[in-house]
Amino acid sequence: MIRRNPTFSKLKGSYLFPEIEKRKAAYLSSHPGAELLNFGIGDTTLPLPKVVAEAMARRALEMGGIDSYAGYGPSEGLLELRTSVVRAFYDASFTEEEVFISDGAKSEIGRLQLLLGQGLRVAVQDPVYPVFVDANILSGTRDMVLLPCLPENGFFPDLKPAVGCDVIYFCSPHNPTGVACSFEQLETLVSFAKENGLLIIYDSAYASFVSQGGFPRSIYEVPGAKEVAIEVGSFSKLAGFTGVRLGWTVVPKELQYVDGGAILPDFRRLIHTVFNGPSRISQEGGLAALTREGMQGIEKNITTYLENASLIKRGMEAMGAKVYGGKASPYVWALFEGRRSWDLFEELLNDFQMVTIPGRGFGPSGEGFVRLSSFCMREDALKIGRIILNN
Ligand code: MLT
């Protein structure tokens, strides 16, 4: 038999979110009938806009018709959808050839490892979306540099420790702290990447929660970013597609390897090799989401989630936490000074039936924090207030 891929032994025992599910299940089995307030994994709860659900239903039915059935689509995704993505998010500043429709940001991060190859030095924000760390460990990254994002630095890291790295993963609005970068901060990031020859993998999964001027929704709002960044976008949190699976990736034609060769043809070659494009049904949903009616439904849902975030923030403040995020992001990042995250997680679960995510699960700089997701039911967000009043 084959030997085990040695990189598996470098991973932590279990991935963060299944571990939370395991602890939730253990609580429920010892407290049958308990009703948990769910602020854990960032999983959307509001229904899809009607126009989106109808478009997918229609396409599914068409797949049952002799004249309307269709098999494989382009690996890069439907041309119409790539056009819509460029118009909706990039002010038409890319060609369709530079945009690839994916089945979501998480699987795309996995595929990107094949583009980047082994033996790299990689920098990540700390705390960090665990996929960046685990996917890199699995693909044989040589070295990983953690860049602390703390209240003391406004959650924007000192980039100097990343000198000598090949790649920097950057997420804004940031999962898990919920803090969005300003234009000046992203300018700093882009200049740093240029000066030091780093590729930025920019995760914009939460961009649709940003509405304040001076806080970009895309890294490409910063001049020169096309020369240093790949942007990974997602319909999951934008349009409630966590269960539908759809995203996109932008690989600008300006992006080059150290020898001056273009990265775009290699990425296309990779996608042709390991991916057949997302389902036609989900792509039809994506097209509907980007229509005027779809966008109206999306904005309504985002407003509701941001209202939930504000209720959660008030509740956590009343519990004595210092609270960050939740304004341009669905995540609230609550600090209980002097406490340990996993203890807080257990205490909130046992005493208040609240499911959160321990900040330590996202990296050492998350110690003392818990993350609360506002992709919850409104009733759960309101209950935080009632809990505080009753205690
Ligand atoms: C999260 O809770 O951080 C994310 O929703 C999980 C994911 O997107 O994979």
Side-chain angles (χ1 to χ4, degrees):
M1 285 301 277
I2 61 156
R3 64 159 175 75
R4 185 183 192 216
N5 177 347
T7 60
F8 278 97
S9 61
K10 299 187 179 149
L11 289 175
K12 273 194 275 162
S14 58
Y15 185 62
L16 178 60
F17 299 113
E19 176 62 30
I20 302 297
E21 289 306 309
K22 206 170 90 191
R23 291 182 187 224
K24 239 169 88 176
Y27 181 85
L28 287 173
S29 79
S30 56
H31 300 80
E35 283 184 20
L36 296 179
L37 308 185
N38 215 337
F39 307 118
I41 186 164
D43 193 3
T44 45
T45 50
L46 292 171
L48 297 169
K50 197 156 171 270
V51 65
V52 174
E54 282 174 353
M56 288 197 287
R58 208 168 35 244
R59 191 70 190 99
L61 287 173
E62 282 168 7
M63 296 296 267
I66 187 75
D67 296 327
S68 45
Y69 171 79
Y72 294 127
S75 297
E76 296 92 334
L78 298 175
L79 180 61
E80 277 174 277
L81 183 53
R82 285 185 274 144
T83 306
S84 295
V85 164
V86 172
R87 284 205 195 118
F89 305 116
Y90 301 106
D91 213 6
S93 68
F94 288 100
T95 61
E96 285 81 0
E97 285 67 38
E98 296 165 285
V99 175
F100 298 80
I101 306 299
S102 73
D103 54 349
K106 188 178 190 177
S107 33
E108 193 75 322
I109 298 294
R111 280 189 289 270
L112 276 167
Q113 303 309 312
L114 291 171
L115 176 81
L116 303 172
Q118 300 180 340
L120 299 181
R121 296 194 70 212
V122 168
V124 295
Q125 290 156 293
D126 169 30
V128 61
Y129 178 42
V131 175
F132 297 151
V133 172
D134 287 2
N136 273 287
I137 291 176
L138 282 173
S139 71
T141 289
R142 176 155 58 97
D143 203 3
M144 190 160 307
V145 175
L146 302 183
L147 304 171
C149 298
L150 295 162
E152 294 83 312
N153 58 19
F155 298 98
F156 185 80
D158 175 11
L159 298 171
K160 281 194 289 298
V163 172
C165 285
D166 304 288
V167 182
I168 181 167
Y169 286 80
F170 214 89
C171 174
S172 175
H174 182 218
N175 179 12
T177 66
V179 176
C181 286
S182 67
F183 183 83
E184 289 74 24
Q185 288 172 329
L186 289 186
E187 253 184 347
T188 303
L189 175 68
V190 168
S191 313
F192 175 84
K194 276 193 175 169
E195 278 157 27
N196 295 284
L198 273 84
L199 171 68
I200 302 168
I201 306 287
Y202 188 77
D203 172 4
S204 65
Y206 300 93
S208 51
F209 286 79
V210 176
S211 57
Q212 205 185 332
F215 289 79
R217 284 187 164 192
S218 161
I219 187 131
Y220 302 122
E221 290 180 35
V222 175
K226 286 184 176 183
E227 289 149 45
V228 284
I230 289 178
E231 182 163 299
V232 178
S234 172
F235 281 81
S236 287
K237 315 297 158 75
L238 166 76
F241 274 40
T242 52
V244 176
R245 307 313 304 149
L246 198 69
W248 69 91
T249 299
V250 182
V251 183
K253 55 184 181 320
E254 288 84 351
L255 207 56
Q256 292 179 345
Y257 292 112
V258 66
D259 67 1
I263 294 183
L264 177 59
D266 280 357
F267 189 72
R268 182 173 302 108
R269 178 71 172 82
L270 170 68
I271 291 301
H272 287 172
T273 308
V274 300
F275 192 50
N276 276 328
S279 128
R280 287 184 179 274
I281 296 165
S282 56
Q283 292 191 80
E284 211 56 51
L287 274 167
L290 299 183
T291 59
R292 182 194 290 246
E293 202 181 333
M295 289 306 271
Q296 280 166 354
I298 286 172
E299 273 162 32
K300 202 162 146 243
N301 286 355
I302 288 177
T303 302
T304 303
Y305 291 135
L306 285 172
E307 287 165 2
N308 289 349
S310 152
L311 290 166
I312 295 170
K313 278 180 87 150
R314 292 216 306 266
M316 296 318 280
E317 273 160 4
M319 277 184 158
K322 279 196 184 146
V323 181
Y324 305 92
K327 271 195 209 132
S329 154
Y331 296 130
V332 172
W333 189 235
L335 171 65
F336 290 83
E337 259 157 343
R339 302 291 315 277
R340 298 187 80 76
S341 295
W342 281 101
D343 296 344
L344 285 164
F345 168 83
E346 292 294 343
E347 198 173 302
L348 291 168
L349 181 60
N350 286 295
D351 297 353
F352 300 103
Q353 289 70 56
M354 279 167 61
V355 181
T356 60
I357 307 283
R360 183 65 180 84
F362 296 98
S365 297
E367 190 60 277
F369 290 86
V370 283
R371 192 197 75 177
L372 295 98
S373 160
S374 71
F375 290 121
C376 56
M377 306 305 288
R378 171 58 55 92
E379 193 47 29
D380 284 4
L382 288 169
K383 275 186 193 156
I384 288 201
R386 278 182 229 140
I387 288 172
I388 313 303
L389 284 178
N390 295 337
N391 280 274

